[in-house]
Amino acid sequence: MITITPVHTLNAVVTVPGSKSLTQRALIAAALADGSSRLHGPLASEDTSFTIQALRAMGVSCDDSDPVCWQIHGNGGRINEPDSAIFLGNNGTATRFLTSVAALGHGCFHITGNERMAQRPILPLIEALRGWQVDVVSDNGTGCPPLTIIGRGLAGGHTVLPEGESSQYLSSLLLVAPYAAIPATLEVRGEIFSKPYVAMTLAVMADFGIRVEAAPGFNAFRIPQGRYQARTYAIEGDASGASYFWAAAAITGGRVTVANVPIPSMQGDTKLLAYLARMGCWIDQTDAGITITGPEVLEGIEVDMGDIPDVAPTLAVVAAFAQGTTIIHNIAHLRIKECDRLSAVVTELRKMGAEVEEEPARMIIHGRQRGDNLHGATIETYDDHRIAMSFAVAGLRVPGVIISNEQCVAKSFPDFWERFSRMTTESQ
Ligand SMILES: O=C(O)C1=C[C@@H](OP(=O)(O)O)[C@@H](O)[C@H](O)C1
Ligand SMILES: C=C(OP(=O)(O)O)C(=O)O
């Protein structure tokens, strides 16, 4: 448990670790490439460590001994059968991505995760892979992990991705498609959630030498055959991790500069800055980074966060400190993350005295200026790093906010508490 100490004001410059999403994509592209790649500024965390261990088990040599530059020795798409099951914890991204990577190999692959991962769906990806002649099953028939894949390489040709509430299925298919036996095409049914992550996948693939033809709207793709080219690759700071520092400035009326998340960015989560600006924050871009200054009075807004679900808890917490109502639309997919985040955010905000409504795909927060109606509470984090980090922000204004199981931040941001507390001490 950790008790957050309120601050009078903030004036700090912070850096954040490398992007989780970019690190995992770069790891996979580098692992499948011909030759050695260097990844600069990667994220070392629980999730990326699961990804590295899995790639090693599949025969890829990964040297992460230097925390600022990892060396990945790509196998040109050759994937070995591992000696034992691949355990990925609650790493949704890696579970979805590595299922397709396993399909490139020859032999039997078991992919497992923790209890929560066994409730997070993957059926649309399984069905799409079957269209490329991959033999893959959900072991207990739930359409969730654990999975067994009998790898025989990817046939390619045409497949259809049924509608689903995760962009990770699509990114997963795209990442391996260049290695199919014949050129691959892909049709995507229904609404695509979290679209900026698909754009990120295409951008990383292009950076490693594979250009995909995508229809506008991302409902069809033509993926050329080819191999990734090994390269030196710089990874941006994590925008989702930066969101807690941006939010800290917003609710305290302080000033925080995040030094290493560029604008423009490959990360859709930077769109949160535009939403915070609509709520009244000032955003400046200088050589030092992006500076956000919180206003005297924050205003509630209405937003669609279907594209950027990971920062919806951050915005919801800020909204509790804004005058008026904030409506966050299109966030049903928050329910299949590390926990049911829609319900968790509503429950924990209510525990602090906020007036919040929960609907199947929306959250409505009736905020009060400076969070005058809020009081301290022990926040249940549901083993979800984003619940822990977003509610820590609330504690900068409201005395008595205690975050339980604070170690869960290790999934994406192992030294979050050190950086968070440095931000406040630097401001005094
Ligand atoms: O592709 C990625 O790197 C991610 C995609 C998003 O998931 P969904 O597409 O399931 O919303 C996001 O929530 C996750 O943290 C990372
Ligand atoms: C949803 C997340 O990650 P994943 O889906 O990779 O578990 C996250 O980091 O917020």
Side-chain angles (χ1 to χ4, degrees):
M1 288 217 265
I2 190 164
T3 305
I4 311 298
T5 311
V7 292
H8 293 297
T9 185
L10 283 180
N11 188 3
V13 179
V14 300
T15 57
V16 290
S19 153
K20 171 165 82 80
S21 293
L22 286 169
T23 300
Q24 299 203 96
R25 284 164 175 74
L27 277 171
I28 287 171
L32 297 179
D34 281 314
S36 292
S37 292
R38 284 168 189 271
L39 310 185
H40 283 276
L43 169 69
S45 76
E46 192 178 286
D47 270 6
T48 57
S49 143
F50 280 131
T51 308
I52 288 179
Q53 285 166 37
L55 290 171
R56 284 187 184 133
M58 294 178 178
V60 178
S61 157
C62 304
D63 179 356
D64 60 351
S65 53
D66 175 355
V68 298
C69 178
W70 293 350
Q71 272 200 59
I72 311 299
H73 305 285
N75 272 356
R78 280 180 309 282
I79 294 297
N80 295 350
E81 183 183 51
D83 295 334
S84 53
I86 291 175
F87 179 80
L88 294 168
N90 195 2
N91 183 341
T93 309
T95 302
R96 276 78 178 241
F97 291 6
L98 293 172
T99 296
S100 299
V101 171
L104 297 180
H106 290 263
C108 184
F109 298 75
H110 294 291
I111 294 190
T112 73
N114 72 5
E115 215 177 296
R116 175 61 184 169
M117 199 62 234
Q119 300 167 347
R120 299 180 65 189
I122 195 163
L123 189 59
L125 175 61
I126 291 178
E127 290 182 0
L129 284 171
R130 285 183 183 150
W132 282 340
Q133 312 311 320
V134 178
D135 184 354
V136 46
V137 290
S138 155
D139 290 346
N140 48 26
T142 57
C144 298
L147 308 174
T148 301
I149 302 119
I150 307 296
R152 286 188 212 94
L154 207 63
H158 188 68
T159 196
V160 175
L161 177 65
E163 180 156 25
E165 286 187 336
S166 173
S167 67
Q168 292 170 0
Y169 312 140
L170 176 49
S171 288
S172 168
L173 295 162
L174 291 168
L175 280 166
V176 298
Y179 292 82
I182 60 168
T185 55
L186 176 57
E187 178 190 333
V188 186
R189 298 258 162 88
E191 184 180 354
I192 302 168
F193 289 87
S194 309
K195 255 191 202 155
Y197 290 99
V198 180
M200 181 194 284
T201 302
L202 296 175
V204 173
M205 289 176 73
D207 289 341
F208 281 81
I210 301 281
R211 292 200 174 273
V212 173
E213 242 182 86
F218 289 165
N219 58 353
F221 297 86
R222 208 186 285 275
I223 307 103
Q225 284 174 296
R227 288 186 183 189
Y228 295 119
Q229 290 151 20
R231 52 163 299 172
T232 296
Y233 201 60
I235 290 169
E236 299 177 355
D238 192 280
S240 330
S243 77
Y244 312 108
F245 298 97
W246 298 333
I251 68 156
T252 58
R255 204 177 138 84
V256 176
T257 301
V258 176
N260 61 335
V261 177
I263 304 283
S265 163
M266 296 168 82
Q267 299 169 79
D269 280 3
T270 53
K271 203 168 162 187
L272 179 68
L273 287 168
Y275 296 153
L276 292 173
R278 274 175 56 200
M279 295 178 93
C281 295
W282 292 92
I283 318 288
D284 295 303
Q285 186 163 18
T286 64
D287 288 347
I290 304 292
T291 301
I292 171 153
T293 309
E296 274 286 301
V297 179
L298 282 164
E299 306 274 355
I301 53 168
E302 198 167 334
V303 279
D304 181 327
M305 295 192 87
D307 271 354
I308 52 169
D310 289 1
V311 288
T314 319
L315 187 85
V317 167
V318 173
F321 294 83
Q323 110 187 334
T325 298
T326 292
I327 307 180
I328 307 180
H329 292 274
N330 206 15
I331 49 170
H333 51 330
L334 252 59
R335 297 190 185 280
I336 57 166
K337 304 286 181 192
E338 283 80 330
C339 71
D340 175 345
R341 277 185 189 155
L342 213 168
S343 179
V345 169
V346 169
T347 306
E348 301 310 309
L349 277 177
R350 281 186 184 148
K351 220 186 250 178
M352 291 185 65
E355 199 189 320
V356 193
E357 293 169 57
E358 175 178 356
E359 294 181 3
R362 299 202 304 178
M363 198 187 308
I364 302 169
I365 303 117
H366 301 285
R368 196 88 73 74
Q369 193 181 327
R370 297 196 186 84
D372 287 344
N373 55 332
L374 303 179
H375 53 75
T378 299
I379 303 299
E380 166 68 59
T381 47
Y382 309 86
D383 209 17
D384 185 339
H385 53 145
R386 304 217 181 277
I387 303 296
M389 294 188 278
S390 43
F391 279 83
V393 174
L396 294 174
R397 267 227 96 116
V398 180
V401 172
I402 299 170
I403 308 292
S404 58
N405 182 26
E406 79 279 7
Q407 318 84 288
C408 64
V409 300
K411 186 176 195 282
S412 67
F413 202 151
D415 62 352
F416 174 76
W417 299 112
E418 288 78 10
R419 295 194 201 216
F420 195 69
S421 113
R422 216 178 302 139
M423 166 181 74
T424 59
T425 45
E426 207 184 286
S427 302
Q428 276 150 25

